[in-house]
Amino acid sequence: MLKIALMFPGQGSQSVGMGKDLYEKYPKAKEIIDLAGDELKKIIFEGPQETLTLTKYAQPAIFTVSMAAFEVFKEFYDFKNVELVAAGHSLGEYSALCAAGFFEFKDGLSMVKARGEFIQKASEVHHGTMAAIIGLDSSVVEDICRQASIDGVCEAVNFNAPGQIVIAGVTTAINKAVELASAAGATKTVILNVSGPFHSSLMSSASDNMAKELEKYNFNPPKFSVCTNCDASLTTDVSRVKEKLVKQIKSSVKWDESVKTIISLGFDRFIEIGPGRVLSGLLRRIDKSKKALNIDNCTNLEKTLEELNK
């Protein structure tokens, strides 16, 4: 039996015009993107990039395009005799859960819109930033964060791949951590162009608001497992998914560990579904023997289907 892992991207993968060729060619993609509403559709297809990058637009936009691509993929690929698992990076976890059948697209879109607004509000209250630290072990980065915390909150929040860790917190502490990382031999440090300290404890208010929001929705038993960010474990447990989504907002994304968990279970075909190829690049850093197929436009869809049907 073929074992396929589906990967769904998070914030930062957005680009103006994403999904437009799928929208124009495939009725199922058009149906999904139309459900997102005229305002969001216009921002997705026409921008400007500055607007699309705002958290409250970027998150529902990426979710919408990812699910449009997945629905088209489902139309053209027979999943009989295929074992599936899914994972999504941060926001992408909602796409993974929706693809698995925990909830319908319309409910997922409402959740993601609320999540984006809660995170944006928390970021306006707790000003901060994020930085990527390249070339240091996670233990070294975590120690640097502890040292920099004398200037305020500073936490390791995205464990993306070996030697690629993102930190978040108040700006003074992040700047201090970047200095310490450079002194410790980091090959590269980059202050990220983001509107807040995502996945840090400074997002606690957004997490609390999301807990209340999720009470409005009923989740369904899924068709396959999802490997969740906060603990890098596979789940089909409807009763636990909501608490994991709440925890995810204010805790680290264990992407490196999630991918390793999936590989350890024998999944050797990876498909990144949605805009960009960030996760495909991280996969190569995590395990050089693995590479991902992509579905973010018509050409890539056709190439992926051709490869899978060999």
Side-chain angles (χ1 to χ4, degrees):
M1 181 177 283
L2 194 61
K3 294 167 77 88
I4 296 177
L6 310 175
M7 305 188 297
F8 293 90
Q11 193 167 348
S13 294
Q14 69 276 355
S15 62
V16 174
M18 60 184 182
K20 191 169 186 182
D21 63 341
L22 293 171
Y23 178 90
E24 291 172 344
K25 185 170 182 178
Y26 299 109
K28 196 67 186 177
K30 184 178 188 302
E31 178 188 331
I32 293 292
I33 294 173
D34 281 346
L35 282 171
D38 290 341
E39 182 192 20
L40 186 60
K41 182 171 71 174
K42 190 172 191 297
I43 292 168
I44 292 170
F45 291 159
E46 299 176 24
Q49 184 71 28
E50 298 76 39
T51 302
L52 179 60
T53 300
L54 293 173
T55 297
K56 67 177 181 178
Y57 295 123
Q59 296 201 5
I62 292 165
F63 174 73
T64 296
V65 172
S66 295
M67 294 317 301
F70 177 69
E71 289 298 325
V72 173
F73 180 42
K74 277 202 307 184
E75 278 197 305
F76 289 93
Y77 187 68
D78 184 359
F79 287 106
K80 284 179 187 174
N81 301 318
V82 174
E83 184 180 350
L84 291 173
V85 70
H89 192 286
S90 188
L91 156 75
E93 189 157 282
Y94 285 80
S95 305
L97 292 167
C98 188
F102 279 95
F103 45 78
E104 298 296 319
F105 171 75
K106 287 178 79 172
D107 280 351
L109 183 63
S110 295
M111 289 180 229
V112 168
K113 283 182 175 178
R115 180 182 186 269
E117 288 170 5
F118 296 150
I119 288 173
Q120 190 140 328
K121 284 177 186 173
S123 299
E124 288 165 2
V125 173
H126 300 287
H127 298 291
T129 191
M130 303 174 78
I133 309 296
I134 312 297
L136 294 178
D137 289 341
S138 58
S139 59
V140 176
V141 174
E142 288 175 310
D143 185 54
I144 285 169
C145 286
R146 281 190 288 272
Q147 293 178 57
S149 291
I150 194 168
D151 290 330
V153 171
C154 181
E155 298 162 359
V157 296
N158 289 357
F159 295 88
N160 287 332
Q164 186 170 329
I165 298 164
V166 175
I167 62 175
V170 299
T171 303
T172 50
I174 295 300
N175 288 338
K176 177 69 173 175
V178 164
E179 289 177 16
L180 292 169
S182 296
T187 54
K188 188 176 183 182
T189 59
V190 182
I191 301 290
L192 302 180
N193 183 23
V194 293
S195 58
F198 307 149
H199 291 290
S200 74
S201 57
L202 294 172
M203 294 289 107
S204 291
S205 63
S207 183
D208 293 343
N209 286 329
M210 199 68 206
K212 295 171 192 167
E213 176 71 18
L214 289 173
E215 290 175 6
K216 301 176 185 175
Y217 304 94
N218 294 316
F219 283 24
N220 310 309
K223 300 178 183 70
F224 49 86
S225 299
V226 171
C227 192
T228 46
N229 286 187
C230 65
D231 55 9
S233 67
L234 267 62
T235 186
T236 56
D237 188 345
V238 173
S239 65
R240 293 210 57 214
V241 166
K242 288 184 181 181
E243 71 181 63
K244 289 188 178 194
L245 288 175
V246 170
K247 185 178 179 183
Q248 184 228 59
I249 292 176
K250 61 178 180 180
S251 62
S252 59
V253 174
K254 298 181 178 180
W255 187 253
D256 181 359
E257 194 178 334
S258 295
V259 171
K260 287 176 179 174
T261 296
I262 290 168
I263 291 171
S264 74
L265 295 170
F267 289 88
D268 57 0
R269 288 289 189 106
F270 287 79
I271 305 173
E272 183 171 3
I273 301 176
R277 299 191 182 187
V278 170
L279 302 182
S280 300
L282 293 179
L283 176 63
R284 286 193 296 273
R285 293 180 68 104
I286 294 166
D287 187 333
K288 288 188 175 71
S289 71
K290 303 289 186 290
K291 69 173 186 175
L293 300 167
N294 297 86
I295 300 175
D296 61 352
N297 58 44
C298 294
T299 301
N300 286 339
L301 170 65
E302 290 162 10
K303 285 180 180 176
T304 294
L305 291 170
E306 184 181 337
E307 184 69 27
L308 291 174
N309 289 321
K310 279 182 180 177

